[in-house]
């Protein structure tokens, strides 16, 4: 079964052409390919899953964490994935975090749907697409330096 991120990839939602900036905002990273974005999202989820966070139900992942917390029962591998996951989260700007988190980590399709051709719904969905791509661009840029 495909994740929401993979479905968006199949629909072309992660395919924003290089050099094109549809949001009118400068990015510190060059526009990544759809494949780069998909890889970055998968890697973020992998670190999230392998760290064991999903099982512990930590309430707020964006909150700063303090060393010496409740991670004493984690294996060395889980600790490494948790550290990698938190470092990756720090590169996602707050304005993109909610969209990336909902789609990549929670596997939720947060688009609005309506049978009518509604301009407001199209604009909302386009905004979701841009925020997702820009957040994944930051992750892809971060992960490229880690390979």
């Amino acid at each position: 079964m495909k994740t929401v991120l993979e479905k968006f990839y199949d629909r072309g939602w992660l395919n924003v052409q290089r050099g094109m900036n549809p949001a009118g905002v400068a990015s510190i990273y060059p526009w990544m390919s759809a494949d780069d974005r998909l890889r970055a999202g998968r890697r973020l989820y992998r670190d999230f899953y392998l760290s064991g966070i999903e099982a512990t139900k930590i309430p707020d992942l964006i909150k700063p964490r303090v060393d010496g917390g409740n991670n004493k029962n984690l294996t060395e591998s889980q600790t490494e994935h948790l550290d990698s996951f938190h470092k990756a989260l720090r590169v996602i700007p707050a304005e993109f975090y909610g969209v990336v988190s909902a789609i990549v980590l929670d596997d939720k399709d947060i688009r609005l749907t309506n049978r009518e051709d509604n301009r407001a719904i199209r604009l909302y969905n386009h905004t979701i697409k841009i925020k997702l791509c820009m957040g994944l661009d930051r992750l892809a840029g971060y992960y490229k330096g880690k390979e």
Side-chain angles (χ1 to χ4, degrees):
M1 181 177 215
K2 289 189 176 195
T3 65
V4 171
L5 183 65
E6 291 167 337
K7 289 175 186 173
F8 285 179
Y9 174 83
D10 290 345
R11 290 183 191 133
W13 262 45
L14 304 183
N15 192 19
V16 175
Q17 295 177 5
R18 293 178 189 270
M20 181 178 157
N21 192 336
V25 178
S27 176
I28 60 170
Y29 297 109
W31 288 93
M32 303 293 176
S33 71
D35 291 333
D36 291 334
R37 292 177 178 134
L38 181 62
R39 264 191 305 278
R42 284 177 172 165
R43 179 149 179 205
L44 181 68
Y45 182 80
R46 188 190 87 208
D47 283 337
F48 170 71
Y49 181 78
L50 292 176
S51 71
I53 290 176
E54 187 175 34
T56 60
K57 303 291 185 202
I58 293 174
D60 190 355
L61 297 175
I62 204 163
K63 242 184 188 177
R65 65 188 175 118
V66 179
D67 288 343
N70 296 331
N71 298 334
K72 293 175 178 44
N73 295 331
L74 296 179
T75 66
E76 186 175 331
S77 174
Q78 285 177 310
T79 303
E80 288 174 12
H81 286 289
L82 182 62
D83 188 50
S84 176
F85 175 71
H86 281 286
K87 286 178 181 176
L89 283 185
R90 285 190 210 115
V91 303
I92 304 172
E95 63 267 27
F96 308 141
Y97 172 80
V99 173
V100 173
S101 175
I103 293 170
V104 176
L105 303 178
D106 298 333
D107 200 31
K108 290 182 182 174
D109 187 344
I110 58 174
R111 295 174 304 146
L112 295 177
T113 57
N114 191 342
R115 291 188 178 142
E116 296 178 25
D117 187 24
N118 185 322
R119 184 173 185 264
I121 290 174
R122 286 194 320 268
L123 180 60
Y124 173 83
N125 289 340
H126 182 72
T127 302
I128 295 299
K129 174 183 176 179
I130 296 305
K131 287 183 176 188
L132 175 63
C133 287
M134 291 182 80
L136 292 175
D137 280 353
R138 299 291 177 97
L139 278 175
Y142 169 76
Y143 285 134
K144 280 191 177 206
K146 302 293 175 197
E147 293 174 347

